[in-house]
Amino acid sequence: MTAELAARVRSAFAARSGYEPAGLWWAPGRVNLIGEHTDYNDGYVFPFAIELGTVAAAARRDDGRLRCWSLEEDAVGDVSIAELEPGRVDGWTAYPQGMAWALHDAGIGLTGADVLVGTTLPLGSGLSSSAALECAVGLALAELHGARIERRDLALLAQRAETEVAGVPSGAMDQLAAMLGREGHAICIDTRTLHVDAVPLELGDAGFALVVIDTHVPRRLADGAYGERRAQCGEAARILGVPTLRDVSPEEVEAGSEDLGDVLHRRARHVTTENERVLDAVEALRARDLPRVGELLHASHASLRDDYEVSAVELDLAVTAATDAGALGARMTGAGFGGCALALVAADRVAAVGAAVADAFTGAGLAEPSTFEVAPAGGARRHD
Ligand code: GLA
């Protein structure tokens, strides 16, 4: 977290509430290296937390109310925690209020709190600003009330906030990455067992960099396409006679292709091959075989574009332009339909790739994207 953001959040808290916060809590955004749309199929994901994130200044109250403010948003929240209910909140306050609801519902007695948040994450661009918000607030509320909650469990409560109060039917990858992120590592998470395998991702030493290309095309997660994919996966699993797509191999999907029909066959093919790509990427990274990681990123993008159909013109353009300019691999990252792409690039090609992507966008009459390097950072924590 930057000292500048910490100071701004601290003084804005004091200005709004009239007193000093009890502390500051930080949670990072994430980039998913590979393993997309697998988490709600009990599959594997391989994200890393990044240095951009959200900070919450907070203090406990005794009157059962949760008041919240944001440096970025005008809307202010002021609710009774006991009266919060699933599906009742709109706007940004759904995330902190959802977190309070989830903790309360899990039997953690919250006496109330004042919370003010600020972020260095671009909002709504696929770097999990909502999970960072939930996790920063969740950690703050838990610690202010002396609740001892495992990081994994807090991440799962944050996911409940997202699905049940904010109304986005997401998996748990983003919240797990925010809570369990480890500096210098990407974390391979088995979303069925929640087993975590931290794999060193220190590309600088090897002369490589990870570059995020933010297309600035807003993702509309709640608009139905995400939920539709999720439902299609459930239907494909039902036809194949298994609880989830985690329980079938790509070969079994091929064998069932007639029963599945074209669309469900392609959806299931994406999920099952993507699970294999995650495990291959873990192995390649451990072997420091970055060209192989690059190939897997490419294959993931093609699968998301053609089989899962969640890419966007801008994401495809970013991936093609980065590759043409020498990236070892590139793919959309996150839910898709807009948001960000990720490219694995030799350190001395970062500027050239950024320039090539910018040129490609202006040449196509599209607004210029932002391009920046990311490095794997630590998970949510108290600041001070
Ligand atoms: C969003 C969701 C995650 C995950 C990704 C796609 O980020 O919040 O749970 O499903 O999309 O991999």
Short mmCIF file of all heavy atoms in Angstrom, two decimals, residues 3 15 21 41 127 139 147 185 242 247 258 313 318 341 363:
data_model
loop_
_atom_site.label_atom_id
_atom_site.label_comp_id
_atom_site.label_asym_id
_atom_site.label_seq_id
_atom_site.Cartn_x
_atom_site.Cartn_y
_atom_site.Cartn_z
N ALA A 3 2.07 4.91 1.08
CA ALA A 3 1.92 5.73 2.29
C ALA A 3 0.93 6.85 2.02
O ALA A 3 0.16 7.27 2.90
CB ALA A 3 3.28 6.30 2.68
N ALA A 15 -12.25 12.82 9.12
CA ALA A 15 -13.14 13.90 8.71
C ALA A 15 -14.60 13.44 8.71
O ALA A 15 -15.50 14.18 9.11
CB ALA A 15 -12.74 14.40 7.31
N PRO A 21 -9.33 6.36 13.21
CA PRO A 21 -9.62 4.92 13.05
C PRO A 21 -8.81 4.10 14.06
O PRO A 21 -7.74 4.52 14.49
CB PRO A 21 -9.18 4.62 11.62
CG PRO A 21 -8.15 5.67 11.30
CD PRO A 21 -8.57 6.91 12.07
N ASN A 41 -16.34 -24.86 -11.08
CA ASN A 41 -16.45 -26.26 -11.50
C ASN A 41 -15.56 -27.15 -10.64
O ASN A 41 -15.13 -28.22 -11.09
CB ASN A 41 -16.05 -26.38 -12.97
CG ASN A 41 -17.07 -25.73 -13.88
OD1 ASN A 41 -18.22 -26.16 -13.92
ND2 ASN A 41 -16.67 -24.68 -14.59
N LEU A 127 -9.47 -6.92 -12.10
CA LEU A 127 -8.36 -7.21 -11.19
C LEU A 127 -8.89 -7.45 -9.77
O LEU A 127 -8.17 -7.36 -8.80
CB LEU A 127 -7.34 -6.06 -11.21
CG LEU A 127 -6.72 -5.79 -12.59
CD1 LEU A 127 -5.75 -4.60 -12.52
CD2 LEU A 127 -6.00 -7.01 -13.14
N LEU A 139 -11.42 -8.48 7.04
CA LEU A 139 -10.32 -8.59 8.00
C LEU A 139 -10.46 -7.54 9.10
O LEU A 139 -10.27 -7.81 10.29
CB LEU A 139 -9.00 -8.41 7.25
CG LEU A 139 -7.76 -9.03 7.85
CD1 LEU A 139 -7.93 -10.53 8.04
CD2 LEU A 139 -6.55 -8.77 6.94
N ALA A 147 -12.44 -11.71 16.48
CA ALA A 147 -12.84 -13.03 15.95
C ALA A 147 -11.63 -13.69 15.29
O ALA A 147 -10.95 -13.06 14.48
CB ALA A 147 -13.96 -12.85 14.92
N HIS A 185 5.15 -15.38 -5.34
CA HIS A 185 4.58 -16.68 -5.70
C HIS A 185 3.23 -16.52 -6.40
O HIS A 185 2.47 -15.60 -6.10
CB HIS A 185 4.32 -17.54 -4.45
CG HIS A 185 5.57 -17.96 -3.77
ND1 HIS A 185 6.35 -17.08 -3.05
CD2 HIS A 185 6.19 -19.16 -3.70
CE1 HIS A 185 7.41 -17.73 -2.56
NE2 HIS A 185 7.34 -18.99 -2.95
N VAL A 242 -21.91 -36.66 -13.75
CA VAL A 242 -20.94 -36.41 -12.67
C VAL A 242 -21.37 -35.18 -11.87
O VAL A 242 -22.13 -34.36 -12.37
CB VAL A 242 -19.51 -36.16 -13.25
CG1 VAL A 242 -18.91 -37.45 -13.79
CG2 VAL A 242 -19.53 -35.08 -14.33
N ASP A 247 -14.89 -33.68 -12.38
CA ASP A 247 -14.89 -35.14 -12.31
C ASP A 247 -14.75 -35.83 -13.66
O ASP A 247 -14.87 -37.05 -13.74
CB ASP A 247 -16.18 -35.61 -11.62
CG ASP A 247 -16.28 -35.02 -10.22
OD1 ASP A 247 -15.42 -35.33 -9.39
OD2 ASP A 247 -17.18 -34.19 -9.99
N GLU A 258 -21.65 -36.18 -28.36
CA GLU A 258 -22.96 -36.23 -29.03
C GLU A 258 -24.09 -35.90 -28.06
O GLU A 258 -25.00 -35.14 -28.39
CB GLU A 258 -23.19 -37.61 -29.63
CG GLU A 258 -22.88 -37.60 -31.11
CD GLU A 258 -23.14 -38.93 -31.76
OE1 GLU A 258 -24.22 -39.50 -31.50
OE2 GLU A 258 -22.27 -39.37 -32.51
N VAL A 313 -13.37 -8.40 -28.56
CA VAL A 313 -12.52 -7.93 -29.66
C VAL A 313 -11.25 -7.28 -29.11
O VAL A 313 -10.14 -7.53 -29.58
CB VAL A 313 -13.31 -6.90 -30.50
CG1 VAL A 313 -12.42 -6.23 -31.53
CG2 VAL A 313 -14.51 -7.57 -31.15
N ALA A 318 -5.45 -7.19 -27.98
CA ALA A 318 -4.34 -7.02 -27.03
C ALA A 318 -3.43 -8.25 -27.08
O ALA A 318 -2.19 -8.13 -27.11
CB ALA A 318 -4.88 -6.81 -25.62
N ALA A 341 -5.99 -8.12 -20.16
CA ALA A 341 -5.20 -9.24 -20.68
C ALA A 341 -3.87 -9.24 -19.94
O ALA A 341 -3.47 -8.23 -19.35
CB ALA A 341 -4.99 -9.09 -22.18
N GLY A 363 -4.83 2.20 -34.10
CA GLY A 363 -5.04 1.83 -35.51
C GLY A 363 -6.44 1.28 -35.74
O GLY A 363 -7.01 1.45 -36.82
#
